[in-house]
Amino acid sequence: MTENLAKPDAARDDFDLANFLPFLLNQAAEESSLAFQHVYKNRYGMLRTEWRVLFHLGMYGRMTAKQIGVRAMIHKTKVSRAVQRLAERRFLTRTRDEADRRLEHLELTPAGEAAYRDLRGVARDYDARLARHFTSGEVALLRSMLRQLAGIR
Amino acid sequence: MTENLAKPDAARDDFDLANFLPFLLNQAAEESSLAFQHVYKNRYGMLRTEWRVLFHLGMYGRMTAKQIGVRAMIHKTKVSRAVQRLAERRFLTRTRDEADRRLEHLELTPAGEAAYRDLRGVARDYDARLARHFTSGEVALLRSMLRQLAGIR
DNA sequence: TATTGTTAGTTACAAAAACAACTACTACGA
DNA sequence: TCGTAGTAGTTGTTTTTGTAACTAACAATA
């Protein structure tokens, strides 16, 4: 092997991508979501936005697409398409508001509730499994820092 | 406003999506990447995978697409397309290895180096700005936990 | 030197996301 | 009550991804 090849073991400067917070956050988010993603995808054929919409309806009950979008910081286009797909699969019902006909109230069907409860259980276990690698104080700090970084507060 | 609407301020059960680690990680990753994303996108027309490839070449010097993929945990298809686009824009050169003609050595052009140095500076400032919200101990712990969650180690 | 397996990288096609334009409806002011 | 502006939600079009199949080159071996 010639010697003018790069030595990929030593960075050429002091910048370390692996310590760059946006990069680290993305890697951690992707990796730590994989198995959960696998569950909602294979068990219910759901996409990322779909389980998020399902969870919002499951946690807070009936609300409009707009409300979901604002709370979950999801663009209305994505909410609209997620709602369509969830409605097709009979996970939720849409009811036109007669007082303000622009609004559509969304509500989980029994099937939707069942899926929500199932996935909620999976999520609880999943979260606990991730947290188990750290002390409870560390996890509390992590959540608080992430909330701050996300601007959720 | 009618009173039989959902009260979205109180969850109906004890599960809190906003504390679910994969969700929190995703939100934090998305939000905290937005402004940086804006820079590499608008200043150099780059996509996520492209700046990552650029950074790997910038940090470690000449290497093959395969090596980048393994190091950065990026699928070869994505690397291939990112390399194509970076080559079109003259940010890198591709040299066929004459000893093993399957291999292609990638190397930043002066323009690529300049873009890397510029973005590296942006990344440094950006990281410092994010870190400033916390103590240095907190940030160190955060990075270490994220690395663990990402399986980077 | 065929044969089979493996590796590096590309390409084709389907799925999904992003962005913008659009419809239907409500609110408000002249 | 007409015009204008704003809101809720949908649809169409273009980019980007994801998946899998593909080509070209090397390696090992019979």
Side-chain angles (χ1 to χ4, degrees), chain B residues 60-97:
Chain B
Y60 300 111
R62 160 182 158 119
M63 66 174 81
T64 69
K66 169 70 187 241
Q67 288 175 309
I68 295 176
V70 170
R71 292 178 144 267
M73 300 195 288
I74 304 175
H75 192 275
K76 59 179 180 174
T77 296
K78 290 172 83 171
V79 176
S80 173
R81 286 202 270 246
V83 165
Q84 282 180 59
R85 294 197 46 174
L86 288 170
E88 281 167 16
R89 290 151 196 254
R90 305 283 185 271
F91 286 129
L92 58 79
T93 57
R94 336 166 80 166
T95 316
R96 187 63 63 182
D97 185 320

Side-chain angles (χ1 to χ4, degrees), chain B residues 134-152:
Chain B
F134 313 101
T135 71
S136 64
E138 285 171 340
V139 174
L141 179 61
L142 175 64
R143 288 195 221 269
S144 136
M145 292 180 83
L146 291 176
R147 251 192 306 279
Q148 222 173 312
L149 287 168
I152 295 180

Side-chain angles (χ1 to χ4, degrees), chain B residues 35-124:
Chain B
F36 181 66
Q37 185 177 23
H38 195 268
V39 176
Y40 64 68
K41 190 173 170 188
N42 289 294
R43 201 176 287 179
Y44 296 104
M46 286 186 194
L47 264 26
R48 218 170 78 93
T49 311
E50 289 161 33
W51 79 259
R52 290 223 243 167
V53 166
L54 183 91
F55 268 54
H56 272 267
L57 288 171
M59 281 195 302
Y60 300 111
R62 160 182 158 119
M63 66 174 81
T64 69
K66 169 70 187 241
Q67 288 175 309
I68 295 176
V70 170
R71 292 178 144 267
M73 300 195 288
I74 304 175
H75 192 275
K76 59 179 180 174
T77 296
K78 290 172 83 171
V79 176
S80 173
R81 286 202 270 246
V83 165
Q84 282 180 59
R85 294 197 46 174
L86 288 170
E88 281 167 16
R89 290 151 196 254
R90 305 283 185 271
F91 286 129
L92 58 79
T93 57
R94 336 166 80 166
T95 316
R96 187 63 63 182
D97 185 320
E98 287 305 326
D100 182 345
R101 297 189 42 74
R102 289 171 303 182
L103 306 180
E104 208 172 44
H105 298 285
L106 308 173
E107 194 161 20
L108 294 186
T109 60
E113 288 283 353
Y116 166 63
R117 278 193 303 273
D118 178 33
L119 287 174
R120 181 185 63 187
V122 174
R124 275 204 186 101

